Amino acid sequence: MSGGTRLENANPLIFQRSGERLLTATDEDEDVADPIDDREIFDIFSKSINDPEHPLSLEELNVVEQMLINVNDEESTVSVEFTPTIPHCSMATLIGLSIKVKLLRSLPDRFKVILVSSQTHLINKQLADKERVAAALENSQLLEVVNQCLSSRAM
Amino acid sequence: MVWDIVSKRGRRRRSCCAHAQLSLKPGWLLFFRMAADNSVLLGLVEEFVSGQVDSKAAETSEKSIVNVIHCLSSCRLSLTSSQPQTRGRGVQLLSQVLQECYSSLSERELEVLLAFYENRLKDHYVIIPHVLQGLNALTKCSVLPPGSAVSILRSIFQDLHVQSLMLAERSCVYNILVSLMESKEEELKGLGADFIYGFVQSVDGERDPRNLLLAFQVARNIIHRGYDLGKFVEELFEVMSCYFPIDFSPPPSDPHRITQEELVLSLRAVLTGTSQFAEFLLPLIIEKLDSDIQSAKVDSLQTLFISCMQVFQTASEGVESAGLSALSALVSCLSRSVLNSDSEDVLQVFLSLVLQDCQHHLCEPDLKLVWPSAKLLQAAAGASYRASLIVSAAVIPALLEQYNNETQVRSCLSLTNILRTGLDAYFFPNVCGFSVEEVVAVCISLQKIAEHVRDSEGIGRFFHDIIIPHLLGLCLQAALQSRDAGQLFERKKQHLWDSSCHSFTSRQVEIPEIDRLLVQLEDLSCTGPHLFSYTFAAKCFAGLVNKMPAGTHRIYLLPKSHALNFRTQAFTLLLWVSKALLLRYHPLSTALTDKLFALLSDPALGSQVADGFCVLMSDSLDVLNRNCHADVRIMYRQRFFAENTTKIIQGFNSAEQEKKSYYLKALSHIVSNLPRQVQLTELPVLLPLLLEALSCADQAVQLSTLSCLQPVLLEPPAAIRNQLEALFSRLLTLTTSPAMKVRIASLQCVHALSRLPEHMVLPFRARVLKALAVPLDDTKRLVRMEAMVARGEWFLLGSPGGR
């Protein structure tokens, strides 16, 4: 993946970063439990995943849209349907993998994650396969790229 | 030719004909005989003269000279009749004709006619009305011969007693006067005092309102056009002033619709028209002010005010200052008047008149009038609380606008004088019935002005010398007064304090009677029951102490002996005074801060004292900061810290378990306010203490320690390497603290630790990742987010592609 002379997606459409989630009074109330909701999942991505070719957040590139996130806190399930910026296979796989990893690292263990790509259906099966994902992450080069995607811009 | 004969004769005759009553002079008769051929007209004239048919004859003899002459000739019989009524009818006809055609008469014709008419003034009284009507018409001519005006008036004044005439005749006389004054001013002035006297005689006793309006007009003309009043000043004044104050109820059927207002204004213009009347006017007004009638009072006041305005036309300072004192006294008097629900607020009415006039001048580019207007306003405002509030409220917005433009220094000074006197109004907000909001609004305005005048030496000094002591005194009084008031009032008062503090701390200032002020503040801060009052008193006190010159000795007896319920207040004062002295490195500060440290163990106050260290170390917004020109030495925090670290540690070590948290709290406040560099260099010494603090059960301590730890961890010193195990274990424990804030803060610290050199922290990675899985499922979202961010960083630590 490294050193490609030509960017595969040179001009992604950039979507406006949706504003920071507003704090409400209950957010700071110790006694009120905040359920995990779609926006929270979305914010996981909007803050820290980079499109490797474009140092902007995935949200800005509209790779992942909020509506395509479905979380159920009680049942501990989350499904994310993401739209890669270009339907090209290799990039889509990478993005998919990054998203999956991020979710795994960011959610409590109890959650079952279902990740699908809206366009490139081929990778869905791969992403669903835990062992395949784990094996992929043992590839240090792959891991490197994934980590690079996940490196927070803010730091 | 005929005319020549007549006029010459007429003239000659006039001078020696004082007593001819009944017969016409021979010259006239000659004339009439020669022009006797118009028989039609003659017939009509006869008809007119003998009967009641007025109009036909007059209409017939319309607008031509010839007709006048014909008329004259036709009237000759009647005019020469031995019956007064007949003569009267003849003159009446003639007069009516003249009224139609006077404008086309020539000068010589006028001469003749005037001679005739003047002469007729000596005739029988039934004729006089018609004579006057004729004269009225004649005097309107623009080509009056020279000397005729004087002559007419002389005749009128000598031959008539005006007040014995009927209303219409008197009107004629006044109209004649008015007309002649219009066209023959110089000539009339030549009459000198006789004219004045004659006029006075004519008016004396007049009662009809229409006539009075005319009379006032004449009087105004006399005054404003510079007629010499001679020795009749008082007479003229008397004859006019007897109508003051006007009390007039127009009859419902009055066709002329004259209002009282018209009369009032007209008369007022006369009475205030000249400074020569002043000595008579003022006593009169003062007398009339006692009247029970509201409108009389108001009239008097307004008249007085207008005359005050005139005061500034003169150059005499004595008169000016007397006028101003009078105005002041007046306003003061008015302010005491009792308000009924249905009566006008006399003060309000009066002041609105004053303001209307003066404000206009204040804002004019013509600065000549700014100063006098300002002085007037000051005199008015200075008279009473109510007055000053009314005046200030109206003037201040205008003032502020003026400050935005270039203005003269003098006028600014006088304007601020007004404000000063207005401050006394705020003495007892409750009593005066004004809301504290209004008071506060003015204080804020003062503050704005203070900002504006900051750069101007003269005004600034004046402002601070006068305004600020007033403000301070008033604040104190207000605070002392309201000691028993409720909480709501307290909050309002806080605003008052804020703005006044702002105002007075805006610059270095010499405060007069500072000792007394300090005593009062101290008293208030030690015994005030409400948080705001004693806190602000303490702050003010401290603010003053901080700026006091070196060498002033004040021994503060620390209030140990105060009753229990006042210890908080006493402590507050102690705290703020300590801060004041600490900021400027005063030697006494050590004694005070030692006391504070000692109080950390106090059973009742310990917790407050610990929190108080936050006050001691951090920047205060409203007092004792650089904006208020407080004496703040650089690095006072570092110095304090350096001098007291040992003390704190010792105190901590020797304290009972329950009290240790206070020491830690104090320490964390001190450390968190230190500049970063100092924190870094001092951390090795403090780290054990801070770690101890992390184990402390007190959440507040935990929080403050965490918050002061976190920035340090971002650039950690080498010394930390020895403490990592303790640090990690403590922090990770705290990520499950019952307090949300503590969880968040500790997660942030864990996050910060991920930035330490990899070789130092890598060993802890697995443990951290495992531990952080728990807060990922925290009930609170904010905690979850922190955990996610921290855990994400720890995942990247030491991993390919990580940072």
Side-chain angles (χ1 to χ4, degrees), chain B residues 370-371 374-375 378 399 403 407-421 449 453 456-467:
Chain B
V370 171
W371 184 230
K375 283 204 270 191
Q378 185 188 337
L399 246 193
Y403 278 124
T407 54
Q408 285 188 357
V409 173
R410 276 169 63 221
S411 56
C412 291
L413 279 175
S414 62
L415 290 169
T416 46
N417 245 324
I418 298 165
L419 294 174
R420 169 178 71 83
T421 51
I449 294 174
V453 302
S456 164
E457 182 64 40
I459 300 174
R461 188 197 313 288
F462 169 79
F463 197 93
H464 294 102
D465 287 343
I466 307 289
I467 303 248

mmCIF file of all heavy atoms in Angstrom, chain B residues 370-371 374-375 378 399 403 407-421 449 453 456-467:
data_model
loop_
_atom_site.group_PDB
_atom_site.id
_atom_site.type_symbol
_atom_site.label_atom_id
_atom_site.label_comp_id
_atom_site.label_asym_id
_atom_site.label_seq_id
_atom_site.Cartn_x
_atom_site.Cartn_y
_atom_site.Cartn_z
ATOM 1 N N VAL B 370 -22.834 75.900 27.010
ATOM 2 C CA VAL B 370 -22.695 74.652 27.755
ATOM 3 C C VAL B 370 -22.429 74.947 29.224
ATOM 4 O O VAL B 370 -23.044 74.385 30.116
ATOM 5 C CB VAL B 370 -21.548 73.804 27.178
ATOM 6 C CG1 VAL B 370 -21.264 72.622 28.076
ATOM 7 C CG2 VAL B 370 -21.909 73.314 25.795
ATOM 8 N N TRP B 371 -21.518 75.834 29.451
ATOM 9 C CA TRP B 371 -21.109 76.135 30.818
ATOM 10 C C TRP B 371 -22.259 76.693 31.648
ATOM 11 O O TRP B 371 -22.529 76.197 32.736
ATOM 12 C CB TRP B 371 -19.917 77.082 30.745
ATOM 13 C CG TRP B 371 -19.248 77.460 32.005
ATOM 14 C CD1 TRP B 371 -18.958 78.725 32.404
ATOM 15 C CD2 TRP B 371 -18.761 76.605 33.046
ATOM 16 N NE1 TRP B 371 -18.319 78.722 33.609
ATOM 17 C CE2 TRP B 371 -18.193 77.426 34.026
ATOM 18 C CE3 TRP B 371 -18.750 75.220 33.243
ATOM 19 C CZ2 TRP B 371 -17.612 76.931 35.181
ATOM 20 C CZ3 TRP B 371 -18.167 74.716 34.399
ATOM 21 C CH2 TRP B 371 -17.614 75.574 35.351
ATOM 22 N N ALA B 374 -24.751 73.959 32.271
ATOM 23 C CA ALA B 374 -24.239 72.991 33.238
ATOM 24 C C ALA B 374 -24.372 73.535 34.651
ATOM 25 O O ALA B 374 -24.738 72.802 35.573
ATOM 26 C CB ALA B 374 -22.787 72.667 32.918
ATOM 27 N N LYS B 375 -24.080 74.798 34.804
ATOM 28 C CA LYS B 375 -24.188 75.386 36.149
ATOM 29 C C LYS B 375 -25.627 75.372 36.646
ATOM 30 O O LYS B 375 -25.896 75.108 37.812
ATOM 31 C CB LYS B 375 -23.655 76.819 36.142
ATOM 32 C CG LYS B 375 -22.133 76.866 36.124
ATOM 33 C CD LYS B 375 -21.601 78.154 36.693
ATOM 34 C CE LYS B 375 -21.439 79.196 35.614
ATOM 35 N NZ LYS B 375 -20.699 80.375 36.055
ATOM 36 N N GLN B 378 -26.451 71.896 37.638
ATOM 37 C CA GLN B 378 -25.789 71.557 38.889
ATOM 38 C C GLN B 378 -26.539 72.156 40.063
ATOM 39 O O GLN B 378 -26.741 71.500 41.082
ATOM 40 C CB GLN B 378 -24.368 72.096 38.844
ATOM 41 C CG GLN B 378 -23.549 71.699 40.044
ATOM 42 C CD GLN B 378 -22.234 72.431 40.035
ATOM 43 O OE1 GLN B 378 -21.764 72.869 38.988
ATOM 44 N NE2 GLN B 378 -21.639 72.572 41.187
ATOM 45 N N LEU B 399 -24.448 63.057 28.527
ATOM 46 C CA LEU B 399 -23.049 63.224 28.935
ATOM 47 C C LEU B 399 -22.148 62.212 28.264
ATOM 48 O O LEU B 399 -21.101 62.544 27.718
ATOM 49 C CB LEU B 399 -22.945 62.985 30.444
ATOM 50 C CG LEU B 399 -22.562 64.126 31.366
ATOM 51 C CD1 LEU B 399 -22.224 63.570 32.707
ATOM 52 C CD2 LEU B 399 -21.403 64.911 30.807
ATOM 53 N N TYR B 403 -18.952 62.759 25.836
ATOM 54 C CA TYR B 403 -17.578 62.321 26.064
ATOM 55 C C TYR B 403 -17.013 61.613 24.855
ATOM 56 O O TYR B 403 -15.819 61.531 24.668
ATOM 57 C CB TYR B 403 -17.508 61.380 27.272
ATOM 58 C CG TYR B 403 -17.469 62.122 28.578
ATOM 59 C CD1 TYR B 403 -18.398 61.873 29.555
ATOM 60 C CD2 TYR B 403 -16.497 63.076 28.814
ATOM 61 C CE1 TYR B 403 -18.374 62.552 30.753
ATOM 62 C CE2 TYR B 403 -16.470 63.753 30.018
ATOM 63 C CZ TYR B 403 -17.414 63.494 30.984
ATOM 64 O OH TYR B 403 -17.385 64.159 32.158
ATOM 65 N N THR B 407 -14.869 67.385 23.892
ATOM 66 C CA THR B 407 -15.572 68.438 24.627
ATOM 67 C C THR B 407 -14.584 69.237 25.449
ATOM 68 O O THR B 407 -13.478 68.792 25.721
ATOM 69 C CB THR B 407 -16.629 67.877 25.584
ATOM 70 O OG1 THR B 407 -15.992 66.928 26.422
ATOM 71 C CG2 THR B 407 -17.749 67.224 24.816
ATOM 72 N N GLN B 408 -15.008 70.355 25.875
ATOM 73 C CA GLN B 408 -14.134 71.166 26.678
ATOM 74 C C GLN B 408 -13.988 70.603 28.071
ATOM 75 O O GLN B 408 -14.927 70.057 28.633
ATOM 76 C CB GLN B 408 -14.695 72.580 26.780
ATOM 77 C CG GLN B 408 -14.505 73.374 25.516
ATOM 78 C CD GLN B 408 -14.885 74.819 25.714
ATOM 79 O OE1 GLN B 408 -15.341 75.199 26.782
ATOM 80 N NE2 GLN B 408 -14.683 75.619 24.690
ATOM 81 N N VAL B 409 -12.838 70.806 28.601
ATOM 82 C CA VAL B 409 -12.576 70.277 29.934
ATOM 83 C C VAL B 409 -13.505 70.902 30.967
ATOM 84 O O VAL B 409 -14.065 70.239 31.816
ATOM 85 C CB VAL B 409 -11.111 70.557 30.329
ATOM 86 C CG1 VAL B 409 -10.868 70.168 31.774
ATOM 87 C CG2 VAL B 409 -10.191 69.795 29.410
ATOM 88 N N ARG B 410 -13.670 72.175 30.862
ATOM 89 C CA ARG B 410 -14.474 72.865 31.869
ATOM 90 C C ARG B 410 -15.893 72.323 31.930
ATOM 91 O O ARG B 410 -16.443 72.132 32.990
ATOM 92 C CB ARG B 410 -14.520 74.353 31.556
ATOM 93 C CG ARG B 410 -13.314 75.106 32.090
ATOM 94 C CD ARG B 410 -13.280 76.511 31.535
ATOM 95 N NE ARG B 410 -14.432 77.302 31.939
ATOM 96 C CZ ARG B 410 -15.096 78.146 31.147
ATOM 97 N NH1 ARG B 410 -14.719 78.304 29.923
ATOM 98 N NH2 ARG B 410 -16.122 78.829 31.589
ATOM 99 N N SER B 411 -16.452 72.124 30.771
ATOM 100 C CA SER B 411 -17.835 71.660 30.801
ATOM 101 C C SER B 411 -17.919 70.250 31.352
ATOM 102 O O SER B 411 -18.847 69.909 32.061
ATOM 103 C CB SER B 411 -18.458 71.732 29.415
ATOM 104 O OG SER B 411 -17.667 71.002 28.511
ATOM 105 N N CYS B 412 -16.926 69.459 31.066
ATOM 106 C CA CYS B 412 -16.923 68.120 31.637
ATOM 107 C C CYS B 412 -16.866 68.188 33.149
ATOM 108 O O CYS B 412 -17.548 67.467 33.849
ATOM 109 C CB CYS B 412 -15.735 67.313 31.135
ATOM 110 S SG CYS B 412 -15.864 66.888 29.405
ATOM 111 N N LEU B 413 -16.048 69.074 33.632
ATOM 112 C CA LEU B 413 -15.928 69.208 35.075
ATOM 113 C C LEU B 413 -17.252 69.579 35.697
ATOM 114 O O LEU B 413 -17.657 69.029 36.707
ATOM 115 C CB LEU B 413 -14.895 70.286 35.407
ATOM 116 C CG LEU B 413 -13.441 69.849 35.357
ATOM 117 C CD1 LEU B 413 -12.530 71.032 35.589
ATOM 118 C CD2 LEU B 413 -13.177 68.773 36.377
ATOM 119 N N SER B 414 -17.907 70.523 35.089
ATOM 120 C CA SER B 414 -19.152 70.937 35.714
ATOM 121 C C SER B 414 -20.201 69.844 35.612
ATOM 122 O O SER B 414 -20.995 69.644 36.506
ATOM 123 C CB SER B 414 -19.667 72.225 35.085
ATOM 124 O OG SER B 414 -19.943 72.000 33.729
ATOM 125 N N LEU B 415 -20.154 69.118 34.545
ATOM 126 C CA LEU B 415 -21.114 68.035 34.384
ATOM 127 C C LEU B 415 -20.867 66.955 35.418
ATOM 128 O O LEU B 415 -21.795 66.400 35.992
ATOM 129 C CB LEU B 415 -21.025 67.455 32.975
ATOM 130 C CG LEU B 415 -21.545 68.389 31.882
ATOM 131 C CD1 LEU B 415 -21.184 67.874 30.512
ATOM 132 C CD2 LEU B 415 -23.045 68.558 31.984
ATOM 133 N N THR B 416 -19.624 66.681 35.643
ATOM 134 C CA THR B 416 -19.358 65.654 36.645
ATOM 135 C C THR B 416 -19.692 66.161 38.035
ATOM 136 O O THR B 416 -19.992 65.387 38.931
ATOM 137 C CB THR B 416 -17.905 65.179 36.588
ATOM 138 O OG1 THR B 416 -17.052 66.313 36.511
ATOM 139 C CG2 THR B 416 -17.690 64.309 35.372
ATOM 140 N N ASN B 417 -19.663 67.442 38.196
ATOM 141 C CA ASN B 417 -20.141 68.022 39.453
ATOM 142 C C ASN B 417 -21.578 67.632 39.725
ATOM 143 O O ASN B 417 -21.966 67.345 40.849
ATOM 144 C CB ASN B 417 -20.064 69.541 39.377
ATOM 145 C CG ASN B 417 -19.059 70.091 40.365
ATOM 146 O OD1 ASN B 417 -18.925 69.557 41.458
ATOM 147 N ND2 ASN B 417 -18.364 71.119 39.967
ATOM 148 N N ILE B 418 -22.333 67.646 38.677
ATOM 149 C CA ILE B 418 -23.739 67.266 38.799
ATOM 150 C C ILE B 418 -23.844 65.837 39.307
ATOM 151 O O ILE B 418 -24.630 65.523 40.187
ATOM 152 C CB ILE B 418 -24.445 67.355 37.444
ATOM 153 C CG1 ILE B 418 -24.421 68.777 36.935
ATOM 154 C CG2 ILE B 418 -25.879 66.866 37.546
ATOM 155 C CD1 ILE B 418 -24.759 68.884 35.494
ATOM 156 N N LEU B 419 -23.037 65.013 38.722
ATOM 157 C CA LEU B 419 -23.062 63.610 39.104
ATOM 158 C C LEU B 419 -22.703 63.443 40.568
ATOM 159 O O LEU B 419 -23.295 62.668 41.280
ATOM 160 C CB LEU B 419 -22.069 62.823 38.264
ATOM 161 C CG LEU B 419 -22.402 62.759 36.790
ATOM 162 C CD1 LEU B 419 -21.284 62.093 36.029
ATOM 163 C CD2 LEU B 419 -23.697 61.998 36.586
ATOM 164 N N ARG B 420 -21.718 64.179 40.938
ATOM 165 C CA ARG B 420 -21.281 64.076 42.323
ATOM 166 C C ARG B 420 -22.416 64.357 43.261
ATOM 167 O O ARG B 420 -22.684 63.604 44.183
ATOM 168 C CB ARG B 420 -20.132 65.047 42.556
ATOM 169 C CG ARG B 420 -19.789 65.195 44.026
ATOM 170 C CD ARG B 420 -18.628 66.129 44.191
ATOM 171 N NE ARG B 420 -18.950 67.504 43.909
ATOM 172 C CZ ARG B 420 -19.505 68.331 44.773
ATOM 173 N NH1 ARG B 420 -19.816 67.902 45.977
ATOM 174 N NH2 ARG B 420 -19.766 69.563 44.435
ATOM 175 N N THR B 421 -23.081 65.451 43.030
ATOM 176 C CA THR B 421 -24.169 65.772 43.940
ATOM 177 C C THR B 421 -25.279 64.750 43.817
ATOM 178 O O THR B 421 -26.024 64.503 44.745
ATOM 179 C CB THR B 421 -24.734 67.173 43.630
ATOM 180 O OG1 THR B 421 -25.016 67.251 42.241
ATOM 181 C CG2 THR B 421 -23.724 68.226 43.996
ATOM 182 N N ILE B 449 -17.781 56.540 32.405
ATOM 183 C CA ILE B 449 -17.171 57.867 32.355
ATOM 184 C C ILE B 449 -15.738 57.793 32.860
ATOM 185 O O ILE B 449 -14.843 58.411 32.286
ATOM 186 C CB ILE B 449 -17.983 58.865 33.196
ATOM 187 C CG1 ILE B 449 -19.353 59.081 32.565
ATOM 188 C CG2 ILE B 449 -17.254 60.179 33.316
ATOM 189 C CD1 ILE B 449 -20.251 59.930 33.397
ATOM 190 N N VAL B 453 -12.478 59.112 30.963
ATOM 191 C CA VAL B 453 -11.629 60.214 31.394
ATOM 192 C C VAL B 453 -10.262 59.732 31.843
ATOM 193 O O VAL B 453 -9.460 60.503 32.343
ATOM 194 C CB VAL B 453 -12.253 61.034 32.535
ATOM 195 C CG1 VAL B 453 -13.584 61.588 32.109
ATOM 196 C CG2 VAL B 453 -12.389 60.196 33.787
ATOM 197 N N SER B 456 -7.430 61.792 30.741
ATOM 198 C CA SER B 456 -7.404 63.233 30.935
ATOM 199 C C SER B 456 -7.024 63.551 32.365
ATOM 200 O O SER B 456 -7.727 63.209 33.297
ATOM 201 C CB SER B 456 -8.781 63.805 30.617
ATOM 202 O OG SER B 456 -8.863 65.102 31.139
ATOM 203 N N GLU B 457 -5.946 64.230 32.499
ATOM 204 C CA GLU B 457 -5.375 64.479 33.819
ATOM 205 C C GLU B 457 -6.331 65.220 34.739
ATOM 206 O O GLU B 457 -6.656 64.778 35.826
ATOM 207 C CB GLU B 457 -4.081 65.281 33.623
ATOM 208 C CG GLU B 457 -3.341 65.589 34.909
ATOM 209 C CD GLU B 457 -2.836 64.340 35.593
ATOM 210 O OE1 GLU B 457 -2.369 63.446 34.891
ATOM 211 O OE2 GLU B 457 -2.925 64.262 36.823
ATOM 212 N N GLY B 458 -6.754 66.368 34.256
ATOM 213 C CA GLY B 458 -7.570 67.232 35.105
ATOM 214 C C GLY B 458 -8.859 66.571 35.540
ATOM 215 O O GLY B 458 -9.200 66.519 36.716
ATOM 216 N N ILE B 459 -9.551 66.041 34.557
ATOM 217 C CA ILE B 459 -10.838 65.440 34.870
ATOM 218 C C ILE B 459 -10.634 64.218 35.744
ATOM 219 O O ILE B 459 -11.365 63.989 36.697
ATOM 220 C CB ILE B 459 -11.573 65.023 33.584
ATOM 221 C CG1 ILE B 459 -11.786 66.251 32.719
ATOM 222 C CG2 ILE B 459 -12.894 64.372 33.909
ATOM 223 C CD1 ILE B 459 -12.360 65.922 31.379
ATOM 224 N N GLY B 460 -9.649 63.458 35.403
ATOM 225 C CA GLY B 460 -9.394 62.238 36.167
ATOM 226 C C GLY B 460 -9.142 62.546 37.627
ATOM 227 O O GLY B 460 -9.734 61.945 38.518
ATOM 228 N N ARG B 461 -8.328 63.516 37.851
ATOM 229 C CA ARG B 461 -8.024 63.866 39.237
ATOM 230 C C ARG B 461 -9.270 64.332 39.952
ATOM 231 O O ARG B 461 -9.559 63.900 41.064
ATOM 232 C CB ARG B 461 -6.965 64.976 39.259
ATOM 233 C CG ARG B 461 -6.455 65.271 40.660
ATOM 234 C CD ARG B 461 -5.751 66.615 40.700
ATOM 235 N NE ARG B 461 -4.815 66.770 39.587
ATOM 236 C CZ ARG B 461 -3.660 66.131 39.488
ATOM 237 N NH1 ARG B 461 -3.282 65.312 40.420
ATOM 238 N NH2 ARG B 461 -2.886 66.318 38.427
ATOM 239 N N PHE B 462 -9.989 65.169 39.292
ATOM 240 C CA PHE B 462 -11.215 65.677 39.889
ATOM 241 C C PHE B 462 -12.171 64.539 40.193
ATOM 242 O O PHE B 462 -12.718 64.440 41.280
ATOM 243 C CB PHE B 462 -11.855 66.673 38.919
ATOM 244 C CG PHE B 462 -13.242 67.050 39.310
ATOM 245 C CD1 PHE B 462 -13.460 67.981 40.297
ATOM 246 C CD2 PHE B 462 -14.331 66.458 38.691
ATOM 247 C CE1 PHE B 462 -14.742 68.323 40.660
ATOM 248 C CE2 PHE B 462 -15.604 66.794 39.062
ATOM 249 C CZ PHE B 462 -15.818 67.728 40.036
ATOM 250 N N PHE B 463 -12.338 63.715 39.237
ATOM 251 C CA PHE B 463 -13.251 62.588 39.367
ATOM 252 C C PHE B 463 -12.894 61.760 40.585
ATOM 253 O O PHE B 463 -13.714 61.417 41.406
ATOM 254 C CB PHE B 463 -13.138 61.747 38.095
ATOM 255 C CG PHE B 463 -14.265 60.801 37.873
ATOM 256 C CD1 PHE B 463 -15.355 61.173 37.119
ATOM 257 C CD2 PHE B 463 -14.229 59.532 38.413
ATOM 258 C CE1 PHE B 463 -16.398 60.287 36.903
ATOM 259 C CE2 PHE B 463 -15.268 58.638 38.188
ATOM 260 C CZ PHE B 463 -16.344 59.033 37.434
ATOM 261 N N HIS B 464 -11.620 61.477 40.691
ATOM 262 C CA HIS B 464 -11.208 60.602 41.775
ATOM 263 C C HIS B 464 -11.171 61.296 43.117
ATOM 264 O O HIS B 464 -11.367 60.673 44.146
ATOM 265 C CB HIS B 464 -9.851 59.976 41.443
ATOM 266 C CG HIS B 464 -9.950 59.052 40.271
ATOM 267 N ND1 HIS B 464 -9.544 59.396 39.025
ATOM 268 C CD2 HIS B 464 -10.487 57.825 40.168
ATOM 269 C CE1 HIS B 464 -9.786 58.398 38.200
ATOM 270 N NE2 HIS B 464 -10.362 57.425 38.856
ATOM 271 N N ASP B 465 -10.919 62.543 43.080
ATOM 272 C CA ASP B 465 -10.903 63.243 44.365
ATOM 273 C C ASP B 465 -12.285 63.384 44.951
ATOM 274 O O ASP B 465 -12.461 63.374 46.160
ATOM 275 C CB ASP B 465 -10.307 64.640 44.182
ATOM 276 C CG ASP B 465 -8.820 64.585 43.956
ATOM 277 O OD1 ASP B 465 -8.232 63.525 44.255
ATOM 278 O OD2 ASP B 465 -8.256 65.585 43.490
ATOM 279 N N ILE B 466 -13.232 63.553 44.104
ATOM 280 C CA ILE B 466 -14.554 63.867 44.615
ATOM 281 C C ILE B 466 -15.495 62.667 44.527
ATOM 282 O O ILE B 466 -16.144 62.296 45.484
ATOM 283 C CB ILE B 466 -15.178 65.034 43.808
ATOM 284 C CG1 ILE B 466 -14.229 66.233 43.769
ATOM 285 C CG2 ILE B 466 -16.523 65.413 44.381
ATOM 286 C CD1 ILE B 466 -14.089 66.950 45.062
ATOM 287 N N ILE B 467 -15.533 62.070 43.404
ATOM 288 C CA ILE B 467 -16.550 61.035 43.174
ATOM 289 C C ILE B 467 -16.261 59.788 43.984
ATOM 290 O O ILE B 467 -17.144 59.206 44.603
ATOM 291 C CB ILE B 467 -16.593 60.659 41.685
ATOM 292 C CG1 ILE B 467 -16.863 61.882 40.837
ATOM 293 C CG2 ILE B 467 -17.570 59.541 41.443
ATOM 294 C CD1 ILE B 467 -18.164 61.907 40.147
#
